[in-house]
Amino acid sequence: MSRTLLIVKPDATERNLIGHVVGRLERAGFKVAEMRMVRLSEGEARKFYAVHEGKPFLDDLVAFMTSGPVVPMVLEKENAVEDMRTLIGATDPSNAACGTVRQEIARDIQCNSVHGSDSDENAAVEIAFFFD
Ligand code: CMP
């Protein structure tokens, strides 16, 4: 078993799509190990996305991620990081494969409904960010 982190972003919580995302994950064989609903402060959002410091989209991303509640969750499965990235699809929904979560529900490259950890290393850091 390995673990990864997924965040349901404000554009999806606002459209009542939390259960839809959890259902997609569970049907794909993921076990929800931890889950909470939080409203990020600007400082927390900047810290979470510190890797994107200096990128032109960072300020807009922070404004978006603090615009409503988000739902971080820890998912367990063999090969969790890679399998979840396949399930959610490309960052830009216009490039996301057919049947992926982002292709199905994301609005655009910023309001892309979900975040998923991109490596085992980052998954550990991102899980520790939200959960003890
Ligand atoms: P996420 O997987 O959470 O990682 C960084 C986020 O920045 C990304 O999803 C999008 O919400 C947002 N973003 C906005 N513009 C871009 C862009 N041009 N490239 C990558 N990410 C972007």
Side-chain angles (χ1 to χ4, degrees), residues 9 49 52 57 61 64 91 102 109-112 114-116:
K9 295 187 178 185
Y49 281 118
H52 293 302
F57 59 82
L61 174 62
F64 164 57
T91 303
R102 283 172 171 155
I109 192 168
Q110 176 177 272
C111 300
N112 62 356
V114 290
H115 165 85

